[in-house]
Each structure stands twice: as structure tokens, then as C-alpha cells.
Amino acid sequence: MIVERRVELRFEADSREAETHTNLSAVRQDGRCLWVAGDETATIERLTAVLGADGRVTGYAAQTTVALADLVPLPAGPGEEADIEGLARANGWLWAIGSHSLKRKKIKPGQSAAKARKRLATVVREDNRFILARLPLVTGEDGLPGVVREDGGRTAAVLGLDEDSITDVLEDDPHLAPFLSIPSKDNGIDIEGIAAHGDRLYIGLRGPVLRGWAVLLEIRPGTDPDDPRRLRLLPVGDGADRYRTHFLDLGGLGIRDLCPHGDDLLVLTGPSMDLDGPVRVVRWRGAAASDAAEIVTAAELETLGDLPHGDGDDHAEGIAVLDEPGTRVLVVYDSPSPDRLTADGGVIADVVDLG
């Protein structure tokens, strides 16, 4: 794959102080704007396109922040990060999903062996990570998209407030239940991608990877009839099951993001563990079909190419199809390398031509 050009995403001072620009984990285009999220806050950000003399997008700026706690209740309140790892947009809604993961504490430089061992033995659960939020999209007086708590009969709503999160539904799953108590970077449960198509959401798991097979969940969220500010999972298909699992042979890699392209899914792949690469974009054709396969072999997937990655940096975390001729995607990076950071408080993303 060819990195056709680079564009700058410019952030305001508050977001730079929160290091959102260096922890980008999700992106979606919405007309002239981008919705992005970082994994160290409980916010989403909107940036607006900057056009060059030829009318092409050269960057995104005029960043504004939306606090999720202003729109939906959060289980741990506004002060705790939500580790947003995926954004999706469809049918007038913006969706945001947390990683649903546990985390093992890191060893800090200069710590004694005793303290390092203690940190490695400490596993933390942060409840805001276990949410799925659905936000009404509206068009403001400036013609730009925004999200609100209410718009007519549409209400912002959330899943994951009271032992009803996606991982709660997986407690009896024969494949995934054993991984619910394992931290994400140890090949435990780690949601890192979401795509919307019709009334379905497709949830990509970075981990676990099961003997080389990555896992994708298919769900159908709906409004709780007893509380419009809450979601519930509706049956998928003809039975009573509230989710379907699809297993993809990605050559041992996990799913780092998902992006719809017609009835196909573009899958950003990468290591499930704390490794740098390889990183690839794969097309799953016909993924949105009602009879989509639950076992998807490598022969049924089209590898579109590899993305660049660094050594300890430049981790591709989000992709979004751009409204441009051909099939071009914008790629955003977590832990960007120093040469991606600009003097104006921005960070460089790549525009890749998928051919």
C-alpha cells in the first residue's frame, strides 16, 4: 500500500495537555469533519477539514471536545478514562466503545525489584472502559455535525451501567469466557474496533487470538424500553442469542480497527500483545450479509497491504474511509514518533490509497 500523502490533525491546548493527540485510537469521517478519540480520556473530539488551493484536504483543525459524561451516565463518573477504542457512524448515530479490558500495571523506570514485582502482580478494572455509547448526530447552525443528549425522540444511551456490558454477556461463552479475567496485553479481552451497518454493530477484538484466529462479535443494540438512556442487546438472527462470534484467520494477528466499505469490512490488523508489528489492512467481502460465515479462512480474506510501524512508536490504531475518489483511508497512530508531532500542536496522519 502507498502512503499517498500526510495530513496534520491540529489540537487545542487542553487536548494537547491531556495528550489526546498522542493517544489516538479511533477515527471516522463525517462530511467535512473527523470524529476522533484517544484512549486516555472519556471524551471524543471533532476536527474540521482544512482545504488546500486545489480543494483537497490538507489537514484538520478547529478541534472541539465532547465529554461523554455530558451526554450519557458513566459507571465510574466523568473523572475516569473510558479507553475509547472505536467509533462508528450510521443512520444518524455516532457510536463509541471502550476497550472492555483489564489492565496490568506497568513497571516504572527506576523502581526497585520488589516494587516492580508488585506492580506486575496488580490487575486493575476501570468501569468506564466497559461501555458502549450511542449518541444522536445533528447538524448545527454552522452546517457541521455535532452530538447531543436529545434530538426529538432520539436520546443518547449507553450499555454497561449495571452488569449488562458486552463482557457480561460473554460470561458463559465457550471461547471467550476464559479470557475475561486476563488483562488485555496478556492476550485477554480487548475491544479495539467497531463498525456499524444497518442495525448491526461489528466489534473487533485485539485479543484474545485463539490459535491464530482473531475474534469479531456481531451485536444488535436497541433502546431499553424501561429507560431511553440505556441500551440493551437484542437477539441476532432467528434465535435468542444476543451476539454472534466470527473467527477470522488473520495469520496470528488481532483486530485493531474495523471500517465499513459498502457490504465489506476493512480490518486493521496488528499484534494482540505489546508488540509493534506487522500491521495490515484486510478486506472481508460480504461481511454484512445475514449469512456471513462464522469461520473465515485466510483464502476468503483479501490482504490489501502493510502499513508502516515504528520501534516502540507509530502504532496504527484507527482507519476511516475518506470521501474521495478511489478507496483512500486515513490512518491515525497511537504513540506517534517524534517526526509526526508538529510545532503547531498537531500530529501527522497518513492517507493511504488501497487501490
Side-chain angles (χ1 to χ4, degrees):
M1 287 189 301
I2 300 173
V3 177
E4 184 182 79
R5 66 185 192 274
R6 291 179 143 195
V7 296
E8 180 187 14
L9 311 185
R10 189 176 300 176
F11 290 80
E12 301 299 326
D14 287 349
S15 291
R16 296 199 304 272
E17 185 176 344
E19 299 183 336
T20 299
H21 66 310
T22 60
N23 290 286
L24 294 179
S25 56
V27 60
R28 276 296 179 271
Q29 185 183 30
D30 191 354
R32 294 165 50 199
C33 295
L34 288 180
W35 293 104
V36 301
D39 58 14
E40 298 291 334
T41 67
T43 65
I44 54 178
E45 325 296 329
R46 190 196 69 188
L47 297 96
T48 303
V50 177
L51 303 181
D54 59 358
R56 297 178 71 186
V57 174
T58 60
Y60 293 86
Q63 176 252 327
T64 61
T65 295
V66 178
L68 288 175
D70 291 341
L71 303 175
V72 295
L74 298 179
E80 183 179 287
E81 71 175 55
D83 196 20
I84 297 300
E85 292 285 355
L87 296 171
R89 182 179 65 85
N91 304 322
W93 300 101
L94 183 69
W95 298 85
I97 195 166
S99 65
H100 288 66
S101 66
L102 304 176
K103 67 177 184 180
R104 188 179 301 279
K105 287 195 172 182
K106 297 180 181 179
I107 295 176
K108 294 183 178 180
Q111 283 186 322
S112 67
K115 287 185 177 180
R117 289 171 59 89
K118 183 177 180 179
R119 288 187 68 84
L120 279 180
T122 303
V123 175
V124 178
R125 175 189 168 103
E126 296 174 341
D127 287 341
N128 282 356
R129 291 171 169 241
F130 292 77
I131 64 161
L132 169 67
R134 186 191 67 184
L135 311 173
L137 280 165
V138 297
T139 301
E141 294 181 358
D142 56 3
L144 300 179
V147 286
V148 294
R149 291 184 64 176
E150 295 184 12
D151 175 47
R154 301 187 305 148
T155 304
V158 65
L159 181 74
L161 292 179
D162 186 19
E163 298 183 351
D164 63 351
S165 71
I166 292 171
T167 47
D168 288 312
V169 177
L170 299 175
E171 285 184 343
D172 296 320
D173 187 90
H175 300 99
L176 299 176
F179 296 89
L180 293 174
S181 61
I182 300 175
S184 58
K185 299 303 185 289
D186 300 348
N187 200 39
I189 294 287
D190 190 6
I191 290 174
E192 284 215 0
I194 183 173
H197 190 284
D199 64 349
R200 306 296 175 93
L201 292 180
Y202 300 87
I203 311 296
L205 274 62
R206 176 177 177 177
V209 173
L210 306 179
R211 200 174 178 87
W213 292 77
V215 185
L216 183 147
L217 302 174
E218 179 183 349
I219 62 174
R220 189 163 72 95
T223 304
D224 189 322
D226 297 323
D227 185 349
R229 299 192 67 193
R230 298 183 65 161
L231 298 170
R232 62 173 180 166
L233 295 184
L234 304 174
V236 176
D238 298 329
D241 293 338
R242 291 182 289 169
Y243 66 94
R244 290 176 66 196
T245 48
H246 302 268
F247 299 91
L248 282 62
D249 183 359
L250 299 177
L253 300 176
I255 298 172
R256 304 299 291 268
D257 199 13
L258 297 169
C259 189
H261 190 228
D263 289 336
D264 302 343
L265 277 181
L266 300 179
V267 185
L268 177 64
T269 73
S272 63
M273 310 294 276
D274 195 14
L275 301 171
D276 292 314
V279 181
R280 302 185 179 111
V281 179
V282 172
R283 183 187 295 275
W284 178 16
R285 294 193 179 274
S290 59
D291 59 349
E294 295 185 353
I295 299 292
V296 187
T297 66
E300 298 170 281
L301 298 166
E302 178 186 359
T303 298
L304 301 178
D306 284 40
L307 288 173
H309 63 83
D311 182 6
D313 55 27
D314 277 356
H315 301 144
E317 289 261 345
I319 56 173
V321 174
L322 297 177
D323 185 16
E324 296 185 1
T327 304
R328 291 173 172 81
V329 296
L330 182 74
V331 184
V332 297
Y333 296 84
D334 190 4
S335 303
S337 57
D339 68 346
R340 287 190 182 272
L341 302 178
T342 70
D344 296 325
V347 63
I348 300 298
D350 292 335
V351 175
V352 176
D353 186 355
L354 298 183

